[in-house]
């Protein structure tokens, strides 16, 4: 619903304004119109731009008052009625140039609701709209719905992209509109009623008119040397002019308005604390101001708390409201407290660790680099050299020297974790295949000169324990989040069964689990969290085969998910049938505060729901061979709705059951959205085929998890490299990325290359077989750009980088 604000009856002003689509489009069009005017006129300061009614109104009054033209001719020239022209003259007399600004339309939103939305988004930018709706309903604010909340968020810059520049843009725009409303309310005439040339210009009162005339005069100036005298004539300093010019280029004529500064309001409680007080009071109405101070351990007066109670009407709330949801009994044994800031990786926390720890490059590698100054080396697996700078950006060295045990930290910068990761990327399935290979690409790229023996690999990992690997994996995930490799908005859980080939599984503390055929076998079960949007791994952990109880899920999530991804970021969790129990569902829903969509295994409770749904079914077709029916149930522990769906094959009558917390979604939409979970299935297949997930280094659980850590680093390195290179040949129309095998065949493996030393001191990798598809040229340019940015370097090489050269040795 659009409303038009009548300035005559507007008694105050507020920063909170929600635009209609027409107002939104009007302001969005202004920068484009100004840029078009600049290009069309070749002027740095254009006076006019298209589709701005202010200029037509201003010129009409100018022609009548100054040039003494008749109202009839002006009305015919500008295609407006004489009554409209008379109304514009009245507004110009009373409010000056401000009165000629176009009238804007706004959406009718309760001011308190809008203030609540801004309070939530300013303190928790990633909080979803439904949380604001729950608080608004608990506060009994009328007119609250999701559509208005999302529209309000958009009009203040809190859209889906969450760009800081959008927030700053709309904050400045709201300030401009506030200033316009205040100045229009002044009971003071800007111009005399006489239509004479002397009363048209009134720069003492009408400041907007002065700036409009300044821009008009500057637009007629052809040389930049003439700008300074014009500014002196108008009494405006050059610094002030450039501020006005920048605002004019963004907001148009609205940017020339005088901004009314707000007075200081004294001490004010932060938005985070104010929102916390509101939530605590809504969930526990017995909290008085004194009890609130004591509960939150505040060091402020009760008067400040009382202001918040009065502002939001908290004293009238008598019944508790489930803002975040609560469980009848604590499901996990211990839930870590929510942290306001996401954890930092070791590379971000200790950027100078390598220098401060006095780590050195392997001596054999240093001697090898010196020989490259006069001798070239032929290699066939250049992928290890290309991936090394990207692996170094993941902070693997800093993490190992922060979280690994003391006896695992060598004096050299390089270590066997780096060798294993580059071995996987180069395409060697096992250590045996790697050590028996004559090519030394992986060893050299790892900061060594010769391939280490197999015994060194097995023995060096003996000191790593689960607590060390837990910290190392979490650090890699945190670093991936900092590099925007993962987002964590839509995630998927899954298990994978890897049958063990050890002759003594009991001695290795292995346990049994069902394989794909349902047979109980000794196996490793990696538990995987996958980012469904970026199609990459978030975390992977070793899980015992028999660990499928709720406690395994709680422990896994607390240690591997919530320590990395903030619950404010999570939007949707997709799970397979291993997470069928209601306790697991309630835990995921309450702990993550996100929506859950899952495939349900038909245990007794699910079978009961299935029978009830089929008994009262209203079948509808789904795709070609299926039909579906649904029914809503209430979860007993939380009193929350859960949509249960039965999908049945029309011919075989085979049924599968699905469930989702999206009770506002149709069953078809829920089943279609469940496809977002598919990347974890294809991702596990790629990890098996290209990252050799099922070929761990050793058979003990610790060494298996060490292998999972190396696989995780390799996957994140490749995804980081692929996102930087942005090769169109590796991107499918459906936005699916290519697999590592495609990258290997393109530029990583089985290539004729030579390694030399560049004049700058970097390693130079030369492809000798030309560049048929242009991928190598793009790689060369990208590496040069990263060199200029200072991030094309490898710590275990002594801080040098790698340069790419291309040569066609067969060219005639």
């Amino acid at each position: 619903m659009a409303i038009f604000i009548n300035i005559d009856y507007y008694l105050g002003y507020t920063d909170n304004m929600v635009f209609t689509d027409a107002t939104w489009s009007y302001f969005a069009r202004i920068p484009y119109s100004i840029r078009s005017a600049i290009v069309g006129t070749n002027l740095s300061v254009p006076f006019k731009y298209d589709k701005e009614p202010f200029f037509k109104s201003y010129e009409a009054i100018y022609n009548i008052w100054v040039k003494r033209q008749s109202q009839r001719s002006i009305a015919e020239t500008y295609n407006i009625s004489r009554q409209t022209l008379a109304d514009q003259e009245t507004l110009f007399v009373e409010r000056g140039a401000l009165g000629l600004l176009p009238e804007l339309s706004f959406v009718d939103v309760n001011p308190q609701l809008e203030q609540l939305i801004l309070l939530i988004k300013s303190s928790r930018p990633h909080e979803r709209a439904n949380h604001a709706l729950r608080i608004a309903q608990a506060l009994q604010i009328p007119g609250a719905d999701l559509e208005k909340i999302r529209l309000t968020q958009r009009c203040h810059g809190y859209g889906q992209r969450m760009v800081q520049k959008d927030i700053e843009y709309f904050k400045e725009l709201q300030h401009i509109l506030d200033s316009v409303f205040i100045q229009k309310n002044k009971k003071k005439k800007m111009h005399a009623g006489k239509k004479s040339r002397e009363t048209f210009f009134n720069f003492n009162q009408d400041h907007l008119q002065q700036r409009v005339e300044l821009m008009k005069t500057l637009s007629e100036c052809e040389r930049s040397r003439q700008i300074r005298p014009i500014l002196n004539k108008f009494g405006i300093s050059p610094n002030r002019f450039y501020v006005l010019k920048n605002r004019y280029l963004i907001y148009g004529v609205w940017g020339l308005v005088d901004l009314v500064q707000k007075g200081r309001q004294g001490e004010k409680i932060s938005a985070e604390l104010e929102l916390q007080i509101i939530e605590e009071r809504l969930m526990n109405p017995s909290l008085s101001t004194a009890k609130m101070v004591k509960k939150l351990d505040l060091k402020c007066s009760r008067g400040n708390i009382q202001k918040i109670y009065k502002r939001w009407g908290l004293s009238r709330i008598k019944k508790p409201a489930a803002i975040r949801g609560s469980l009848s009994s604590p499901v996990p044994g211990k839930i870590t407290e929510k942290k306001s800031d996401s954890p930092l990786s070791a590379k971000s926390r200790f950027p100078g660790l390598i220098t401060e720890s006095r780590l050195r490059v392997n001596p054999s590698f240093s001697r090898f680099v010196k020989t490259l100054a006069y001798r070239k080396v032929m290699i066939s697996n250049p992928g290890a050299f290309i991936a090394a700078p990207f692996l170094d950006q993941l902070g693997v060295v800093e993490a190992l020297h922060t979280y690994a045990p003391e006896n695992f930290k060598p004096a050299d910068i390089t270590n066997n974790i780096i060798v294993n990761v580059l071995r996987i990327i180069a395409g060697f399935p096992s250590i045996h295949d790697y050590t028996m290979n004559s090519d030394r690409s992986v060893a050299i790229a790892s900061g060594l000169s010769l391939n280490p023996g197999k015994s060194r690999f097995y023995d060096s990992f003996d000191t790593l324990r689960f607590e060390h690997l837990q910290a190392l994996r979490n650090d890699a995930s945190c670093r991936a989040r900092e590099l925007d490799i993962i987002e964590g908005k839509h995630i998927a859980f899954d298990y994978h069964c890897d049958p063990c080939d050890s002759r003594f599984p009991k001695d290795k503390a292995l346990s049994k689990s069902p394989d794909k055929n349902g047979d109980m076998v000794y196996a490793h079960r990696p538990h995987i969290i996958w980012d469904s949007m970026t199609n990459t791994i978030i975390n992977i952990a070793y899980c015992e085969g028999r660990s499928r109880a709720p406690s395994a899920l709680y422990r896994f999530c607390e240690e591997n998910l919530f320590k990395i991804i903030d619950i404010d970021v999570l939007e949707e969790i997709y799970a397979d049938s291993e997470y069928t129990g209601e306790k697991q569902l309630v835990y995921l829903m309450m702990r993550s505060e996100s929506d859950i969509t899952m495939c349900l295994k038909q245990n007794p409770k699910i079978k009961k729901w299935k029978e009830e749904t089929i008994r009262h079914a209203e079948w509808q077709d789904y795709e070609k061979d299926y039909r579906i029916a649904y029914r809503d149930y209430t979860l007993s522990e939380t009193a929350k709705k859960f949509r249960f769906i039965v999908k049945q094959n029309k011919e075989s009558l085979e049924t599968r059951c699905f469930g989702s917390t999206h009770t506002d979604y149709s069953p078809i939409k829920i089943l279609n959205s469940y496809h977002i979970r598919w990347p974890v299935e294809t991702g596990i297949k790629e990890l098996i085929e290209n990252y050799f997930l099922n070929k761990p280094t050793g058979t003990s659980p610790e060494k298996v998890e060490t292998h999972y850590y190396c696989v995780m680093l390799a996957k994140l390195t490749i995804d980081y490299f692929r996102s930087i290179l942005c090769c169109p040949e590796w991107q499918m129309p459906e936005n699916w990325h290519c697999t590592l095998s495609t990258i290997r065949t393109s530029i990583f493996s089985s290539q004729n290359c030579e390694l030399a030393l560049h004049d700058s001191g970097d390693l130079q990798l030369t492809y000798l077989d030309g560049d048929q598809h242009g991928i190598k040229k793009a790689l060369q340019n990208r590496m040069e750009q990263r060199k200029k940015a200072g991030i094309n370097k490898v710590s275990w090489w002594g801080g040098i980088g790698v340069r790419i050269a291309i040569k066609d040795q067969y060219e005639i």
Side-chain angles (χ1 to χ4, degrees):
M1 171 179 155
I3 61 169
F4 293 88
I5 296 180
N6 189 341
I7 303 300
D8 294 332
Y9 298 99
Y10 193 83
L11 302 178
Y13 81 102
T14 174
D15 288 334
N16 307 334
M17 301 178 187
V18 183
F19 304 143
T20 60
D21 291 339
T23 303
W24 177 279
S25 302
Y26 167 72
F27 282 110
R29 189 176 59 244
I30 288 177
Y32 170 77
S33 300
I34 294 177
R35 289 194 299 269
S36 300
I38 292 176
V39 173
T41 58
N42 291 326
L43 297 174
S44 61
V45 185
F47 172 60
K48 294 182 182 178
Y49 52 90
D50 292 339
K51 299 181 181 180
E52 178 54 68
F54 172 84
F55 298 115
K56 183 168 68 173
S57 303
Y58 186 77
E59 285 188 353
I61 297 176
Y62 176 81
N63 291 332
I64 294 175
W65 287 32
V66 178
K67 293 189 175 181
R68 302 292 185 177
Q69 296 182 11
S70 65
Q71 288 187 354
R72 185 186 299 275
S73 62
I74 294 298
E76 292 177 356
T77 301
Y78 292 99
N79 194 24
I80 56 178
S81 64
R82 295 177 63 181
Q83 181 61 42
T84 301
L85 190 59
D87 294 340
Q88 290 177 351
E89 287 187 84
T90 303
L91 291 173
F92 182 72
V93 170
E94 294 179 355
R95 299 164 187 166
L98 287 172
L100 303 181
L101 291 173
E103 190 174 346
L104 304 176
S105 58
F106 301 91
V107 177
D108 187 11
V109 176
N110 190 300
Q112 195 175 26
L113 173 62
E114 195 168 355
Q115 292 172 11
L116 175 65
I117 296 169
L118 290 181
L119 177 69
I120 295 174
K121 297 303 287 187
S122 60
S123 57
R124 302 173 192 166
H126 295 284
E127 188 65 78
R128 296 182 297 277
N130 54 6
H131 184 61
L133 179 61
R134 287 196 296 267
I135 294 182
Q137 291 173 346
L139 291 173
Q140 303 173 10
I141 299 176
D145 58 60
L146 287 176
E147 183 179 355
K148 287 186 178 180
I149 292 174
R150 294 190 177 108
L151 183 60
T152 303
Q153 292 174 354
R154 187 186 75 160
C155 291
H156 289 275
Y158 297 100
Q160 292 183 351
R161 295 182 299 170
M162 292 297 297
V163 180
Q164 183 61 31
K165 290 185 178 180
D166 289 348
I167 300 174
E168 296 172 357
Y169 169 83
F170 283 101
K171 184 177 180 181
E172 183 73 10
L173 180 58
Q174 300 283 1
H175 194 181
I176 291 173
L177 296 180
D178 290 339
S179 303
V180 170
F181 292 150
I182 291 176
Q183 295 177 48
K184 283 184 176 182
N185 280 331
K186 291 181 178 179
K187 304 299 182 180
K188 188 176 183 180
K189 286 189 176 183
M190 292 290 185
H191 299 272
K194 274 188 169 182
K195 301 175 185 178
S196 62
R197 184 177 305 178
E198 293 76 13
T199 60
F200 179 77
F201 296 105
N202 186 10
F203 294 163
N204 294 330
Q205 300 292 336
D206 197 345
H207 300 159
L208 177 59
Q209 184 187 28
Q210 181 198 20
R211 292 165 185 172
V212 169
E213 288 294 330
L214 170 66
M215 295 298 176
K216 181 179 179 181
T217 306
L218 291 175
S219 66
E220 299 170 354
C221 176
E222 299 179 355
R223 297 181 180 178
S224 59
R225 296 181 182 178
Q226 300 174 353
I227 293 179
R228 186 65 65 100
I230 295 175
L231 295 179
N232 292 335
K233 183 178 179 181
F234 279 85
I236 295 178
S237 67
N239 293 338
R240 180 60 177 164
F241 162 68
Y242 287 112
V243 172
L244 293 173
K245 177 183 175 182
N246 291 334
R247 282 168 47 190
Y248 184 79
L249 294 176
I250 299 174
Y251 303 103
V253 69
W254 296 83
L256 304 179
V257 174
D258 257 341
L259 298 182
V260 177
Q261 303 300 326
K262 298 180 182 179
R264 297 184 60 182
Q265 300 177 353
E267 298 297 333
K268 186 178 180 181
I269 290 179
S270 65
E272 295 85 352
L273 179 57
E274 184 171 354
L275 180 58
Q276 184 181 4
I277 291 173
I278 295 173
E279 291 177 337
E280 291 289 345
R281 182 62 173 77
L282 290 175
M283 291 187 291
N284 187 2
S286 64
L287 290 176
S288 62
T289 55
K291 291 180 180 179
M292 184 67 72
V293 171
K294 184 176 181 180
K295 178 178 177 59
L296 300 181
D297 192 21
L298 302 178
K299 307 298 181 183
C300 64
S301 65
R302 291 168 52 187
N304 288 338
I305 310 300
Q306 184 61 42
K307 292 178 182 178
I308 298 176
Y309 275 50
K310 183 178 180 181
R311 182 182 305 125
W312 298 103
L314 298 177
S315 299
R316 71 172 184 270
I317 305 299
K318 303 301 180 184
K319 295 182 179 180
I323 301 302
R324 290 286 182 183
S326 57
L327 300 180
S328 57
S329 59
V331 178
K334 180 181 179 182
I335 293 181
T336 56
E337 295 182 358
K338 177 187 170 184
K339 298 180 180 179
S340 58
D341 298 326
S342 299
L344 296 177
S345 65
K347 189 172 182 65
S348 299
R349 196 183 300 273
F350 310 111
L353 183 145
I354 296 177
T355 305
E356 296 169 358
S357 300
R358 300 183 301 280
L359 302 179
R360 58 184 176 84
V361 180
N362 187 280
S364 63
F365 179 80
S366 300
R367 293 192 298 270
F368 173 78
V369 171
K370 291 180 181 179
T371 62
L372 291 178
Y374 55 85
R375 180 173 175 267
K376 298 179 181 180
V377 176
M378 303 302 297
I379 60 174
S380 59
N381 293 301
F385 293 93
I386 298 172
F390 297 91
L391 175 61
D392 186 54
Q393 286 297 310
L394 289 177
V396 58
V397 175
E398 289 83 357
L400 287 170
H401 283 269
T402 302
Y403 301 111
E406 188 66 30
N407 53 358
F408 186 78
K409 303 173 184 177
D412 295 348
I413 301 177
T414 190
N415 54 71
N416 284 340
I417 294 291
I418 296 174
V419 180
N420 257 304
V421 173
L422 295 182
R423 168 185 67 82
I424 293 171
I425 292 175
F428 297 103
S430 65
I431 294 175
H432 176 77
D433 297 328
Y434 164 60
T435 55
M436 295 301 293
N437 184 65
S438 60
D439 186 71
R440 298 292 184 262
S441 302
V442 174
I444 298 172
S446 303
L448 305 173
S449 59
L450 295 175
N451 291 345
K454 288 192 290 185
S455 61
R456 177 177 173 182
F457 280 101
Y458 289 108
D459 297 340
S460 63
F461 295 150
D462 286 342
T463 57
L464 288 175
R465 293 293 178 261
F466 283 126
E467 60 268 20
H468 307 134
L469 294 166
Q470 178 73 65
L472 290 171
R473 288 186 287 99
N474 286 359
D475 184 84
S477 296
C478 292
R479 184 58 183 167
R481 188 196 64 238
E482 294 168 356
L483 295 174
D484 293 330
I485 305 174
I486 62 176
E487 293 179 353
K489 295 182 179 179
H490 296 258
I491 67 172
F493 288 139
D494 207 348
Y495 282 112
H496 169 63
C497 181
D498 173 24
C500 178
D501 56 358
S502 174
R503 290 181 294 175
F504 308 101
K506 290 185 178 180
D507 296 341
K508 299 292 186 180
L510 301 181
S511 57
K512 290 187 176 181
S513 64
D515 61 4
K516 290 185 177 180
N517 299 325
D519 300 328
M520 298 300 293
V521 297
Y522 286 101
H524 315 300
R525 283 184 68 82
H527 198 167
I528 301 173
I529 308 176
W530 201 264
D531 193 312
S532 299
M533 292 294 103
T534 59
N535 194 20
T536 190
I537 191 171
I538 296 179
N539 216 331
I540 179 173
Y542 177 87
C543 184
E544 290 189 359
R546 60 176 174 266
S547 297
R548 303 183 68 186
S551 58
L553 177 66
Y554 306 151
R555 184 171 60 252
F556 177 74
C557 291
E558 294 299 331
E559 295 295 332
N560 300 276
L561 176 62
F562 297 122
K563 286 187 177 181
I564 302 166
I565 305 298
D566 199 313
I567 60 174
D568 293 333
V569 179
L570 280 173
E571 294 182 2
E572 188 93 22
I573 294 178
Y574 299 90
D576 204 357
S577 57
E578 286 91 349
Y579 313 91
T580 303
E582 185 177 355
K583 288 186 177 180
Q584 292 97 313
L585 171 63
V586 170
Y587 167 75
L588 289 175
M589 185 168 57
M590 294 295 99
R591 182 67 176 95
S592 66
E593 301 177 12
S594 60
D595 292 304
I596 313 295
T597 301
M598 57 171 43
C599 176
L600 301 172
K601 187 177 181 180
Q602 298 186 33
N603 58 20
K605 186 167 187 176
I606 299 301
K607 288 182 179 179
K608 179 181 177 182
W609 285 2
K610 182 185 71 173
E611 293 170 359
E612 291 179 357
T613 304
I614 294 177
R615 191 181 309 119
H616 303 88
E618 295 181 3
W619 295 103
Q620 53 180 312
D621 292 335
Y622 179 73
E623 295 180 346
K624 182 180 179 181
D625 302 324
Y626 298 95
R627 61 178 184 174
I628 58 176
Y630 75 97
R631 188 178 178 87
D632 290 342
Y633 290 92
T634 302
L635 299 178
S636 57
E637 293 193 39
T638 61
K640 289 186 175 294
K641 295 290 185 180
F642 185 72
R643 179 149 292 180
F644 180 76
I645 304 171
V646 176
K647 177 183 175 184
Q648 189 176 74
N649 189 294
K650 294 179 180 178
E651 294 183 0
S652 64
L653 299 182
E654 179 185 358
T655 59
R656 295 185 66 189
C657 300
F658 297 85
S660 176
T661 57
H662 284 294
T663 54
D664 56 334
Y665 283 9
S666 67
I668 295 178
K669 186 174 182 179
I670 292 175
L671 292 181
N672 290 338
S673 65
Y674 185 73
H675 295 174
I676 298 176
R677 206 193 72 85
W678 287 358
V680 69
E681 300 286 353
T682 57
I684 292 176
K685 292 179 181 178
E686 186 192 5
L687 292 181
I688 296 172
E689 180 180 354
N690 296 321
Y691 295 89
F692 319 117
L693 181 67
N694 286 0
K695 297 183 179 181
T697 307
T699 56
S700 67
E702 289 85 355
K703 289 184 179 178
V704 171
E705 180 146 313
T706 303
H707 174 67
Y708 293 161
Y709 173 56
C710 295
V711 169
M712 176 181 172
L713 286 175
K715 174 63 176 173
L716 292 175
T717 301
I718 293 301
D719 289 336
Y720 182 35
F721 165 75
R722 184 167 46 202
S723 66
I724 294 298
L725 189 58
C726 299
C727 183
E729 288 80 5
W730 298 344
Q731 188 81 13
M732 298 182 183
E734 298 86 358
N735 203 29
W736 289 96
H737 300 293
C738 69
T739 59
L740 176 55
S741 59
T742 305
I743 301 178
R744 285 196 187 116
T745 56
S746 300
I747 57 175
F748 272 12
S749 302
S750 302
Q751 303 286 327
N752 290 325
C753 299
E754 62 180 17
L755 187 68
L757 193 65
H758 192 266
D759 294 338
S760 63
D762 293 336
L763 299 180
Q764 178 167 301
L765 182 66
T766 305
Y767 286 91
L768 300 178
D769 294 341
D771 185 18
Q772 182 179 359
H773 301 288
I775 300 176
K776 300 168 186 175
K777 183 63 176 178
L779 174 63
Q780 180 185 33
N781 296 334
R782 186 63 67 186
M783 286 299 192
E784 290 294 332
Q785 294 174 0
R786 292 176 68 82
K787 179 66 178 177
K788 294 179 182 178
I791 52 179
N792 181 13
K793 56 185 178 180
V794 182
S795 58
W796 54 87
W797 294 353
I800 65 177
V802 58
R803 293 174 179 264
I804 306 298
I806 305 169
K807 178 182 177 182
D808 191 350
Q809 60 182 347
Y810 303 108
E811 184 178 6
I812 301 177

